[in-house]
Amino acid sequence: MTTGRLSERTPVTVTLAVVLTAVVTAVGGYAVPAGAGQRLYDDAAQFAAGVLAAFACFAAAREHTALRARWRILLGAGLTAWALARLWWVVRDVLEPGRATAAGIADVGFLTLPLFAFLTLLTMSASLPRAARSSVPRDRGLLVIDSFLITGSLVALAWSALPGRIFAEVGHHPWATGVAMAYPVVDLVLIVMLLLMLVMRPMWGPGRVTLWLMVAGLLALGCSDTVRLLNLSTGVPTPIEAAGYLLGPALLAIAAMSHPATGEPVAVQEPEADWLHLLLPYVPVVATGVVIAVRTGTGGQLTSYEAYLGWLGLGLVVARQMFTIVDNSVLLARVSEGQERLHHQAYHDPLTGLANRALFRERLVLALDAYRHRGSPVALVFADLDDFKLINDSFGHAMGDRLLRAIGDRLRAAAGGEDLVARLGGDEFAVLLEKRAGDADPIAEEILADLREPFVIDGHTVGISASLGLVRPDPGDQDLSADILLRRADAAMYASKRRGKNALVRYTGNADGGPNADLPHLLMRALENSPADYGFAAFYQPIVSFTDGSVVAVEALARWTDPIAGPVDPDVFVTVAERTGLVAAIDDFVLDRSCADAAALAVAYGRPVDVHVNVSAARLGQHGLAEGVLAALARHGVPASRLVVEITETKRIPDLPRAVEVAETLRRNGIRIALDDFGSGYNALAQLHSLPVDIVKLDSTLTDVDVSPERAGALCRSVVRICGDLGIAVVAEGIETPERAQALAEMGCDLGQGYLFGQPGPVHRLAATTPAIPTQLGPASTAHLAS
């Protein structure tokens, strides 16, 4: 029978063991003559019980591994030694039928079973789950100390509470009494250990059954040892004593065979509360102290045994307190390490290890407080990497991450380790200068020069540049806050980008004008109110047919001339809008303005033309986009067939299935979908398969066929052929020369857009502008593009 099957039939097996024990005991008590014959019968039966139990333990160990096999082997070894001691008694019963029953030196062999059982329980304690992460030696030591502490207290309590005549009757034979008393005491130690494991350890159901069976087995042995101790003066074995020595090994064998060898725990019982773990060992100590105090208070005296037990208990209490102190010290150290680790994670960037925005802002607040109250100098360098997206597109995000780490290392080196370097966002860094604020200018120049030096990563030489903004508090500016200083540094950085990037700009004015104007603040102010009143306008660039040079559509583009900052480059304010979450507001403004200008565009070109409007790819999967587009068309009475939504994918589409659903909704209403800047960024061939697309606009990197005819021509020709097979119209962007237009027309491109055909301009200028368009460039058809 396997242990797995036995565990399912444990109640039946235990019942059978009890019945067999009762039968064997009854036979010995009634069928065997009293005296030497009955003693021989009992010893032989107990020897057989020990041998069978040991064999069962060894057999069960073969079905387990590691600690579960080890404790069964140890238990089997203890039962083997116990059976050999019984065999010695059988031999003596045969050779010396009239021998005395008092314990002898050979009876010490019976203590081998408790010794091996003690080792078994220590091994079991290591195999059981623990409520908290702690070391196995610590748990074992605490289990042993608690077991001896509780056992000593219970023994002292029994010694004080029980009548003295009981011990006087068994104390005529000191050696025999000492050996006989050792049996129930060690049994009590083992039972207490098992009960502590049951109370303190979480475990699944079969594991608890195993421990309870071992408790029952040791309790049976302990009862027999106690009865034998009390009958030591008479030396006459009793049926209870014989039954316990038969039932105990049987229950231990069932315990070894009851725990399944396979299968994972399905339910773990939670341990008792921590306070129980702390107080439980002291309950018997307190009870014993109360009994002894009452006894001595009424005139009684302590015996030498009670004094010895008292000193033993005191030593164990001290040892346990030492364990608790060490345990608390280790726990506090772990808590402190955990808090430090969490604090570091909360205030540092996980990629570069630099300070994050939260820590940087805290330090900046403290630095400005020192500036206001003590005049301590402070300066701030704000750095934004130029065109970092191209690094990710060209080399992959893993390379981009390694480059960011390398940039962080160079910034640390430039700061000299005395000032704080932080990564504020994806490609934004900042250096807070306090110790060397007076050298802010040369330090900023050094940072700019360091970042211009190429990086060698995984054998690749990667070049990068950055736009830097440097700001110091104005003299006498006592109301300066951290947010204001950050905005000024941000404004100076954007001024650097407007000047062509890869430069350092020092903030020299307030946020009320000049090249350092606070662009995020100004952009938010413009878009939250009336964008047109704050300089926003829609410009239109023609899209022409290569067949006859006619304008078939226009692309609506946002332009901004702020009343304070002046003209702002589209790349700059679009970047600011993306970082501040204002791109949707720009898209909505251009959509509404282009729908409002649809009639004027028709007048300008003598017939209705299609209007292309840009929508950020991040918005394509958002709720409300389709409704907003349809509402704008209805508001201005523009047919849906005249609108083309261009997906500008500067960021990856976050929810592609939802984006496909929105695109299909727009197309069902007659609106066409175009992929803008195809061949750059995230717009690639995979999107032609994923998204329902009507038009593809080739990026200028694919249309420079006059500069790189072989490579660019092959790529462009392949894309045009694929789009033709899919029934998708192609618009070539970046057409600046007649030669490029001629080459693209010969490749099969239908439409073109670029400075050759006209620069973006407001609607009122389009009527007076006639693009210089070479006609009859090549065979093409625009029927599938026009409505």
Side-chain angles (χ1 to χ4, degrees):
M1 181 182 297
T2 64
T3 58
R5 293 179 180 176
L6 181 60
S7 64
E8 300 173 357
R9 303 173 58 184
T10 298
V12 177
T13 308
V14 173
T15 303
L16 182 61
V18 173
V19 172
L20 289 176
T21 300
V23 170
V24 174
T25 303
V27 170
Y30 297 102
V32 179
Q38 182 179 0
R39 184 169 59 193
L40 176 61
Y41 174 83
D42 290 341
D43 290 341
Q46 292 160 18
F47 165 71
V51 171
L52 292 175
F55 175 79
C57 291
F58 290 133
R62 297 180 61 183
E63 299 186 15
H64 295 265
T65 58
L67 294 176
R68 290 183 178 181
R70 191 179 306 165
W71 73 257
R72 288 171 170 84
I73 294 174
L74 289 172
L75 184 60
L79 288 169
T80 301
W82 187 84
L84 291 176
R86 288 293 172 187
L87 178 62
W88 170 248
W89 273 22
V90 171
V91 172
R92 291 187 62 190
D93 290 340
V94 173
L95 298 179
E96 305 174 33
R99 68 178 178 86
T101 58
I105 186 64
D107 294 339
V108 177
F110 288 112
L111 293 176
T112 54
L113 175 57
L115 175 61
F116 278 97
F118 178 76
L119 298 176
T120 297
L121 297 186
L122 290 182
T123 305
M124 288 183 69
S125 69
S127 66
L128 294 175
R130 294 187 291 279
R133 294 181 60 186
S134 56
S135 65
V136 173
R138 176 261 181 198
D139 279 352
R140 286 178 174 176
L142 201 58
L143 178 63
V144 171
I145 290 178
D146 287 347
S147 301
F148 277 94
L149 181 60
I150 294 174
T151 302
S153 301
L154 293 176
V155 170
L157 184 63
W159 192 280
S160 302
L162 294 178
R165 61 180 179 81
I166 296 179
F167 301 101
E169 291 176 358
V170 301
H172 297 298
H173 306 282
W175 168 255
T177 301
V179 174
M181 288 184 64
Y183 298 152
V185 171
V186 295
D187 292 337
L188 182 58
V189 171
L190 298 175
I191 292 171
V192 170
M193 287 181 68
L194 284 166
L195 293 176
L196 287 175
M197 290 164 63
L198 281 165
V199 172
M200 302 303 178
R201 294 294 184 86
M203 65 188 75
W204 57 308
R208 299 185 68 82
V209 170
T210 300
L211 292 184
W212 278 117
L213 287 171
M214 295 192 70
V215 170
L218 291 173
L219 190 61
L221 292 173
C223 289
S224 296
D225 290 336
T226 303
V227 171
R228 182 170 179 267
L229 172 65
L230 296 178
N231 291 333
L232 192 62
S233 59
T234 63
V236 179
T238 64
I240 295 178
E241 178 183 346
Y245 287 137
L246 292 173
L247 185 59
L251 291 175
L252 293 178
I254 296 173
M257 301 178 67
S258 65
H259 198 165
T262 59
E264 293 297 326
V266 295
V268 176
Q269 178 170 330
E270 293 297 326
E272 299 292 337
D274 290 340
W275 62 267
L276 181 61
H277 187 196
L278 295 173
L279 297 181
L280 184 61
Y282 297 106
V283 172
V285 175
V286 174
T288 302
V290 171
V291 172
I292 294 177
V294 171
R295 180 178 175 185
T296 55
T298 56
Q301 293 184 349
L302 296 178
T303 65
S304 59
Y305 289 106
E306 292 171 338
Y308 293 150
L309 289 175
W311 282 109
L312 176 62
L314 179 61
L316 291 174
V317 169
V318 172
R320 194 181 194 283
Q321 289 302 312
M322 293 298 296
F323 260 90
T324 303
I325 292 173
V326 172
D327 194 33
N328 289 339
S329 300
V330 173
L331 179 60
L332 289 175
R334 289 179 179 175
V335 170
S336 178
E337 291 176 1
Q339 289 177 340
E340 291 179 1
R341 185 165 54 252
L342 290 175
H343 183 273
H344 187 274
Q345 293 174 354
Y347 285 99
H348 289 81
D349 174 54
L351 178 63
T352 62
L354 300 175
N356 61 11
R357 183 178 289 273
L359 178 58
F360 186 82
R361 193 178 187 284
E362 285 188 9
R363 289 283 300 273
L364 181 57
V365 169
L366 294 176
L368 289 176
D369 185 69
Y371 167 76
R372 283 191 296 268
H373 293 88
R374 297 189 298 273
S376 301
V378 60
L380 174 60
V381 179
F382 191 94
D384 183 272
L385 304 181
D386 297 327
D387 303 317
F388 182 73
K389 179 177 176 296
L390 296 178
I391 301 295
N392 286 331
D393 294 342
S394 303
F395 298 99
H397 289 273
M399 174 69 79
D401 290 343
R402 287 192 285 272
L403 178 59
L404 289 173
R405 284 193 288 267
I407 290 171
D409 294 338
R410 287 195 183 180
L411 290 175
R412 282 197 197 96
E418 299 180 358
D419 293 298
L420 183 67
V421 180
R423 182 185 177 209
L424 303 184
D427 56 359
E428 295 178 344
F429 296 85
V431 180
L432 177 61
L433 299 173
E434 297 180 83
K435 301 291 186 181
R436 299 192 295 165
D439 299 327
D441 287 273
I443 292 175
E445 294 286 356
E446 180 183 353
I447 291 174
L448 186 64
D450 288 345
L451 295 181
R452 286 171 176 167
E453 291 294 326
F455 293 82
V456 179
I457 300 176
D458 295 342
H460 298 280
T461 301
V462 181
I464 193 71
S465 64
S467 299
L468 272 61
L470 172 62
V471 62
R472 293 187 182 88
D474 293 331
D477 194 352
Q478 296 299 316
D479 296 329
L480 187 64
S481 66
D483 291 335
I484 293 176
L485 196 66
L486 276 171
R487 281 206 304 267
R488 291 181 180 179
D490 197 48
M493 181 273 295
Y494 281 118
S496 173
K497 286 191 178 294
R498 291 201 301 272
R499 296 180 183 181
K501 306 178 182 178
N502 193 18
L504 169 66
V505 171
R506 298 164 182 82
Y507 187 88
T508 57
N510 296 318
D512 56 355
N516 292 318
D518 188 347
L519 287 186
H521 174 74
L522 297 178
L523 184 64
M524 185 179 300
R525 182 187 64 175
L527 295 174
E528 288 182 349
N529 294 281
S530 175
D533 294 338
Y534 286 89
F536 268 96
F539 278 32
Y540 304 94
Q541 186 173 31
I543 300 174
V544 305
S545 169
F546 284 151
T547 302
D548 56 12
S550 62
V551 176
V552 298
V554 293
E555 180 180 1
L557 302 167
R559 293 295 184 264
W560 184 29
T561 302
D562 187 78
I564 296 175
V568 183
D569 187 88
D571 289 340
V572 174
F573 73 74
V574 169
T575 302
V576 176
E578 288 178 343
R579 292 178 175 174
T580 55
L582 298 174
V583 172
I586 296 177
D587 291 346
D588 292 341
F589 167 77
V590 174
L591 172 65
D592 185 79
R593 179 59 62 188
S594 59
C595 289
D597 290 341
L601 289 169
V603 172
Y605 292 109
R607 66 184 186 284
V609 295
D610 297 339
V611 178
H612 292 227
V613 295
N614 294 304
V615 172
S616 173
R619 294 189 63 202
L620 193 59
Q622 296 178 359
H623 293 280
L625 174 63
E627 293 79 0
V629 172
L630 294 174
L633 292 173
R635 187 163 55 248
H636 298 285
V638 178
S641 59
R642 289 295 174 195
L643 183 65
V644 178
V645 173
E646 292 190 7
I647 302 172
T648 57
E649 199 169 3
T650 56
K651 294 184 179 180
R652 197 180 299 274
I653 297 177
D655 187 353
L656 188 57
R658 173 61 184 165
V660 172
E661 181 182 343
V662 173
E664 289 287 6
T665 300
L666 293 173
R667 295 181 79 231
R668 282 196 300 269
N669 285 275
I671 301 168
R672 283 160 294 163
I673 305 296
L675 278 182
D676 193 18
D677 297 330
F678 185 84
S680 68
Y682 299 103
N683 278 337
L685 290 174
Q687 304 295 46
L688 293 180
H689 174 72
S690 303
L691 289 173
V693 175
D694 302 285
I695 303 169
V696 162
K697 300 186 72 175
L698 297 181
D699 187 71
S700 58
T701 57
L702 292 180
T703 61
D704 57 349
V705 293
D706 54 333
V707 177
S708 179
E710 295 184 1
R711 183 176 183 83
L715 291 174
C716 185
R717 193 177 299 107
S718 299
V719 174
V720 170
R721 186 180 302 113
I722 292 173
C723 291
D725 293 340
L726 296 175
I728 298 174
V730 177
V731 178
E733 297 181 310
I735 309 300
E736 298 179 355
T737 64
E739 293 76 16
R740 182 174 300 182
Q742 179 69 38
L744 290 167
E746 291 174 355
M747 290 180 184
C749 284
D750 299 332
L751 308 166
Q753 178 182 354
Y755 283 176
L756 176 64
F757 308 130
Q759 296 188 10
V763 66
H764 64 272
R765 295 182 185 173
L766 296 179
T769 303
T770 301
I773 305 171
T775 60
Q776 303 298 328
L777 291 174
S781 173
T782 61
H784 57 289
L785 180 69
S787 1

